[in-house]
Amino acid sequence: MNKAKQPRRKHIPQRTCVGCGQVQGKRDMTRVVRTAEGRVHIDPTGKCPGRGAYVHQARECWQLALQNRRLELALRVALPEQDCVDLLKFAETLA
């Protein structure tokens, strides 16, 4: 018996928000990356080398991630002051 091949479902990578802990599609979140030099910045392409963490594109999630040190724990680094200021500025632009 030959069964007709059914089309494969496209795999959607899932990531966990370090702010709220909810799981969502990778493309719906913002990636933050720690570079080899120890700097932390936003990775708009999602392809920069380094340790990454994901945060929803919501101000509340960013505040939780930064205030509760969840982002630092996920990236395994103490956030440099300038990088923290840059991330807070980005969070202020979100709804």
Side-chain angles (χ1 to χ4, degrees), residues 14-17 20-25 29 56:
Q14 301 289 303
R15 297 295 183 264
T16 303
C17 174
C20 67
Q22 291 182 346
V23 177
Q24 192 172 3
M29 303 176 92
H56 281 121

mmCIF file with all atom_site columns, all heavy atoms in Angstrom, residues 14-17 20-25 29 56:
data_model
loop_
_atom_site.group_PDB
_atom_site.id
_atom_site.type_symbol
_atom_site.label_atom_id
_atom_site.label_alt_id
_atom_site.label_comp_id
_atom_site.label_asym_id
_atom_site.label_entity_id
_atom_site.label_seq_id
_atom_site.pdbx_PDB_ins_code
_atom_site.Cartn_x
_atom_site.Cartn_y
_atom_site.Cartn_z
_atom_site.occupancy
_atom_site.B_iso_or_equiv
_atom_site.pdbx_formal_charge
_atom_site.auth_seq_id
_atom_site.auth_comp_id
_atom_site.auth_asym_id
_atom_site.auth_atom_id
_atom_site.pdbx_PDB_model_num
ATOM 1  N N   . GLN A 1 14 ? 11.832 27.561 18.459 1.00 0.00 ? 14 GLN A N   1
ATOM 2  C CA  . GLN A 1 14 ? 11.218 28.171 19.639 1.00 0.00 ? 14 GLN A CA  1
ATOM 3  C C   . GLN A 1 14 ? 12.315 28.636 20.600 1.00 0.00 ? 14 GLN A C   1
ATOM 4  O O   . GLN A 1 14 ? 13.330 27.968 20.744 1.00 0.00 ? 14 GLN A O   1
ATOM 5  C CB  . GLN A 1 14 ? 10.324 27.160 20.355 1.00 0.00 ? 14 GLN A CB  1
ATOM 6  C CG  . GLN A 1 14 ? 9.206  26.607 19.493 1.00 0.00 ? 14 GLN A CG  1
ATOM 7  C CD  . GLN A 1 14 ? 8.139  27.641 19.236 1.00 0.00 ? 14 GLN A CD  1
ATOM 8  O OE1 . GLN A 1 14 ? 7.563  28.197 20.152 1.00 0.00 ? 14 GLN A OE1 1
ATOM 9  N NE2 . GLN A 1 14 ? 7.883  27.900 17.971 1.00 0.00 ? 14 GLN A NE2 1
ATOM 10 N N   . ARG A 1 15 ? 12.097 29.764 21.244 1.00 0.00 ? 15 ARG A N   1
ATOM 11 C CA  . ARG A 1 15 ? 13.037 30.290 22.231 1.00 0.00 ? 15 ARG A CA  1
ATOM 12 C C   . ARG A 1 15 ? 12.253 30.769 23.447 1.00 0.00 ? 15 ARG A C   1
ATOM 13 O O   . ARG A 1 15 ? 11.081 31.121 23.352 1.00 0.00 ? 15 ARG A O   1
ATOM 14 C CB  . ARG A 1 15 ? 13.844 31.457 21.671 1.00 0.00 ? 15 ARG A CB  1
ATOM 15 C CG  . ARG A 1 15 ? 14.733 31.095 20.486 1.00 0.00 ? 15 ARG A CG  1
ATOM 16 C CD  . ARG A 1 15 ? 15.830 30.132 20.893 1.00 0.00 ? 15 ARG A CD  1
ATOM 17 N NE  . ARG A 1 15 ? 16.729 29.821 19.800 1.00 0.00 ? 15 ARG A NE  1
ATOM 18 C CZ  . ARG A 1 15 ? 16.642 28.764 19.015 1.00 0.00 ? 15 ARG A CZ  1
ATOM 19 N NH1 . ARG A 1 15 ? 15.646 27.910 19.181 1.00 0.00 ? 15 ARG A NH1 1
ATOM 20 N NH2 . ARG A 1 15 ? 17.522 28.548 18.060 1.00 0.00 ? 15 ARG A NH2 1
ATOM 21 N N   . THR A 1 16 ? 12.925 30.825 24.584 1.00 0.00 ? 16 THR A N   1
ATOM 22 C CA  . THR A 1 16 ? 12.313 31.266 25.828 1.00 0.00 ? 16 THR A CA  1
ATOM 23 C C   . THR A 1 16 ? 12.757 32.687 26.131 1.00 0.00 ? 16 THR A C   1
ATOM 24 O O   . THR A 1 16 ? 13.955 32.995 26.104 1.00 0.00 ? 16 THR A O   1
ATOM 25 C CB  . THR A 1 16 ? 12.727 30.336 26.991 1.00 0.00 ? 16 THR A CB  1
ATOM 26 O OG1 . THR A 1 16 ? 12.345 29.002 26.657 1.00 0.00 ? 16 THR A OG1 1
ATOM 27 C CG2 . THR A 1 16 ? 12.062 30.749 28.287 1.00 0.00 ? 16 THR A CG2 1
ATOM 28 N N   . CYS A 1 17 ? 11.810 33.544 26.456 1.00 0.00 ? 17 CYS A N   1
ATOM 29 C CA  . CYS A 1 17 ? 12.097 34.929 26.829 1.00 0.00 ? 17 CYS A CA  1
ATOM 30 C C   . CYS A 1 17 ? 12.736 34.939 28.216 1.00 0.00 ? 17 CYS A C   1
ATOM 31 O O   . CYS A 1 17 ? 12.199 34.353 29.154 1.00 0.00 ? 17 CYS A O   1
ATOM 32 C CB  . CYS A 1 17 ? 10.807 35.738 26.831 1.00 0.00 ? 17 CYS A CB  1
ATOM 33 S SG  . CYS A 1 17 ? 10.999 37.436 27.432 1.00 0.00 ? 17 CYS A SG  1
ATOM 34 N N   . CYS A 1 20 ? 10.102 37.110 30.805 1.00 0.00 ? 20 CYS A N   1
ATOM 35 C CA  . CYS A 1 20 ? 8.862  36.539 31.351 1.00 0.00 ? 20 CYS A CA  1
ATOM 36 C C   . CYS A 1 20 ? 8.859  35.013 31.387 1.00 0.00 ? 20 CYS A C   1
ATOM 37 O O   . CYS A 1 20 ? 8.032  34.417 32.068 1.00 0.00 ? 20 CYS A O   1
ATOM 38 C CB  . CYS A 1 20 ? 7.659  37.041 30.553 1.00 0.00 ? 20 CYS A CB  1
ATOM 39 S SG  . CYS A 1 20 ? 7.600  36.440 28.852 1.00 0.00 ? 20 CYS A SG  1
ATOM 40 N N   . GLY A 1 21 ? 9.740  34.374 30.636 1.00 0.00 ? 21 GLY A N   1
ATOM 41 C CA  . GLY A 1 21 ? 9.819  32.923 30.652 1.00 0.00 ? 21 GLY A CA  1
ATOM 42 C C   . GLY A 1 21 ? 8.878  32.216 29.694 1.00 0.00 ? 21 GLY A C   1
ATOM 43 O O   . GLY A 1 21 ? 8.827  30.994 29.678 1.00 0.00 ? 21 GLY A O   1
ATOM 44 N N   . GLN A 1 22 ? 8.142  32.950 28.867 1.00 0.00 ? 22 GLN A N   1
ATOM 45 C CA  . GLN A 1 22 ? 7.237  32.325 27.900 1.00 0.00 ? 22 GLN A CA  1
ATOM 46 C C   . GLN A 1 22 ? 8.011  31.891 26.658 1.00 0.00 ? 22 GLN A C   1
ATOM 47 O O   . GLN A 1 22 ? 8.987  32.518 26.265 1.00 0.00 ? 22 GLN A O   1
ATOM 48 C CB  . GLN A 1 22 ? 6.130  33.292 27.492 1.00 0.00 ? 22 GLN A CB  1
ATOM 49 C CG  . GLN A 1 22 ? 5.157  33.585 28.592 1.00 0.00 ? 22 GLN A CG  1
ATOM 50 C CD  . GLN A 1 22 ? 4.049  34.513 28.110 1.00 0.00 ? 22 GLN A CD  1
ATOM 51 O OE1 . GLN A 1 22 ? 4.138  35.124 27.055 1.00 0.00 ? 22 GLN A OE1 1
ATOM 52 N NE2 . GLN A 1 22 ? 3.003  34.606 28.910 1.00 0.00 ? 22 GLN A NE2 1
ATOM 53 N N   . VAL A 1 23 ? 7.546  30.818 26.044 1.00 0.00 ? 23 VAL A N   1
ATOM 54 C CA  . VAL A 1 23 ? 8.171  30.291 24.833 1.00 0.00 ? 23 VAL A CA  1
ATOM 55 C C   . VAL A 1 23 ? 7.409  30.824 23.622 1.00 0.00 ? 23 VAL A C   1
ATOM 56 O O   . VAL A 1 23 ? 6.188  30.836 23.606 1.00 0.00 ? 23 VAL A O   1
ATOM 57 C CB  . VAL A 1 23 ? 8.146  28.740 24.842 1.00 0.00 ? 23 VAL A CB  1
ATOM 58 C CG1 . VAL A 1 23 ? 8.714  28.185 23.555 1.00 0.00 ? 23 VAL A CG1 1
ATOM 59 C CG2 . VAL A 1 23 ? 8.895  28.217 26.044 1.00 0.00 ? 23 VAL A CG2 1
ATOM 60 N N   . GLN A 1 24 ? 8.180  31.260 22.616 1.00 0.00 ? 24 GLN A N   1
ATOM 61 C CA  . GLN A 1 24 ? 7.579  31.806 21.405 1.00 0.00 ? 24 GLN A CA  1
ATOM 62 C C   . GLN A 1 24 ? 8.530  31.565 20.242 1.00 0.00 ? 24 GLN A C   1
ATOM 63 O O   . GLN A 1 24 ? 9.690  31.187 20.446 1.00 0.00 ? 24 GLN A O   1
ATOM 64 C CB  . GLN A 1 24 ? 7.321  33.305 21.572 1.00 0.00 ? 24 GLN A CB  1
ATOM 65 C CG  . GLN A 1 24 ? 6.453  33.889 20.495 1.00 0.00 ? 24 GLN A CG  1
ATOM 66 C CD  . GLN A 1 24 ? 6.060  35.323 20.806 1.00 0.00 ? 24 GLN A CD  1
ATOM 67 O OE1 . GLN A 1 24 ? 6.484  35.892 21.791 1.00 0.00 ? 24 GLN A OE1 1
ATOM 68 N NE2 . GLN A 1 24 ? 5.251  35.885 19.943 1.00 0.00 ? 24 GLN A NE2 1
ATOM 69 N N   . GLY A 1 25 ? 8.072  31.809 19.044 1.00 0.00 ? 25 GLY A N   1
ATOM 70 C CA  . GLY A 1 25 ? 8.912  31.655 17.863 1.00 0.00 ? 25 GLY A CA  1
ATOM 71 C C   . GLY A 1 25 ? 10.110 32.589 17.912 1.00 0.00 ? 25 GLY A C   1
ATOM 72 O O   . GLY A 1 25 ? 10.004 33.741 18.335 1.00 0.00 ? 25 GLY A O   1
ATOM 73 N N   . MET A 1 29 ? 11.059 37.446 18.512 1.00 0.00 ? 29 MET A N   1
ATOM 74 C CA  . MET A 1 29 ? 11.769 37.948 19.684 1.00 0.00 ? 29 MET A CA  1
ATOM 75 C C   . MET A 1 29 ? 13.028 38.693 19.249 1.00 0.00 ? 29 MET A C   1
ATOM 76 O O   . MET A 1 29 ? 13.466 38.593 18.108 1.00 0.00 ? 29 MET A O   1
ATOM 77 C CB  . MET A 1 29 ? 12.123 36.788 20.605 1.00 0.00 ? 29 MET A CB  1
ATOM 78 C CG  . MET A 1 29 ? 10.899 36.006 21.035 1.00 0.00 ? 29 MET A CG  1
ATOM 79 S SD  . MET A 1 29 ? 11.324 34.582 22.006 1.00 0.00 ? 29 MET A SD  1
ATOM 80 C CE  . MET A 1 29 ? 11.230 35.276 23.615 1.00 0.00 ? 29 MET A CE  1
ATOM 81 N N   . HIS A 1 56 ? 11.212 39.145 24.541 1.00 0.00 ? 56 HIS A N   1
ATOM 82 C CA  . HIS A 1 56 ? 10.064 39.612 23.763 1.00 0.00 ? 56 HIS A CA  1
ATOM 83 C C   . HIS A 1 56 ? 10.229 41.085 23.419 1.00 0.00 ? 56 HIS A C   1
ATOM 84 O O   . HIS A 1 56 ? 10.925 41.823 24.113 1.00 0.00 ? 56 HIS A O   1
ATOM 85 C CB  . HIS A 1 56 ? 8.767  39.462 24.579 1.00 0.00 ? 56 HIS A CB  1
ATOM 86 C CG  . HIS A 1 56 ? 8.244  38.069 24.584 1.00 0.00 ? 56 HIS A CG  1
ATOM 87 N ND1 . HIS A 1 56 ? 8.070  37.357 25.739 1.00 0.00 ? 56 HIS A ND1 1
ATOM 88 C CD2 . HIS A 1 56 ? 7.851  37.261 23.571 1.00 0.00 ? 56 HIS A CD2 1
ATOM 89 C CE1 . HIS A 1 56 ? 7.590  36.166 25.445 1.00 0.00 ? 56 HIS A CE1 1
ATOM 90 N NE2 . HIS A 1 56 ? 7.452  36.076 24.138 1.00 0.00 ? 56 HIS A NE2 1
#
